[in-house]
Amino acid sequence: MSKFFVKPEQIKNDNIIIDGDDVNHILNVLRMKKDDEIQVCNQVTGENYKARIVQYSKNEIECKIEEKIGKSTESNVHITLFQGIPKFEKMELIIQKNTEVGVNNIVPVIMERTVVKLDEKVASKKLDRWQKIAEIAAKQSMRDIIPNVKSIIKTKEIDVDMYDVVLVAYENEEHNMLKAELKKLESQNKQEYNIAIVIGPEGGISEKEIELLDEKNVKFVSLGKRILRTETVALNILSVITYELEQWQGDK
């Protein structure tokens, strides 16, 4: 069943109004018609509904809620990715694939070795596009939230205070493995975890930035003997984190 996100104000009593680009997708791409069923998710609360199309125009589709769906696809592990901005096609891939795996927030970071140039106008357009990519990936992977692509920051602006741990993937770290840090977290036996990951751009994180991050009391981790591309690192780490810490319904 195809899934679409709506804002809370689009849900009124037992009716849901779908507008914007989704109208064209439903009517002209999926070729759905009256009485066809879709899944609709409140993008703020994560509540899901099975809904039936009752009428439509070229601008909006009215649906009737058939039932509320209790199943959730979201994890007890909440992950924020601070991603050093690589070339734009790589950034798009990072957003798409990490949304599929389960990231909650993506913060683009301008680092010393970021090679692309971003003025205010370009940055605004990129953020809009990146957020749209996250939305499309969230629909495809049946997420209950759309990850938030936040405003672009610099390395010194990375805030570490709200997380259980901030993991920095660093190729020169020789002793502290990712597995060791996750075992420490797992031993806390928490119901939910709030984790941040910091990844460098193509050229990695500079020594100056490593020193700056070290002052913030982050944890530098090694991913093993091989050096991964920037577009591969977060996907690798997220997969390992969710494997180790995610709880499924019914888990004790």
Side-chain angles (χ1 to χ4, degrees), residues 4 18-26 59 132 135 139:
F4 299 89
I18 297 175
D19 55 21
D21 294 340
D22 286 338
V23 175
N24 178 67
H25 187 75
I26 291 170
N59 296 318
K132 188 63 178 177
E135 179 181 347
K139 291 176 184 176

Side-chain angles (χ1 to χ4, degrees), residues 143-157:
R143 295 285 302 273
D144 291 334
I145 64 163
I146 302 171
N148 185 14
V149 181
K150 298 193 174 185
S151 299
I152 298 169
I153 64 171
K154 296 182 179 180
T155 307
K156 65 182 180 181
E157 298 173 296

Side-chain angles (χ1 to χ4, degrees), residues 84-103:
I85 301 174
K87 293 178 180 178
F88 292 141
E89 66 274 12
K90 294 182 179 181
M91 190 65 181
E92 293 181 3
L93 181 65
I94 288 166
I95 292 168
Q96 180 190 61
K97 296 307 177 185
N98 285 284
T99 294
E100 292 175 15
V101 174
V103 76

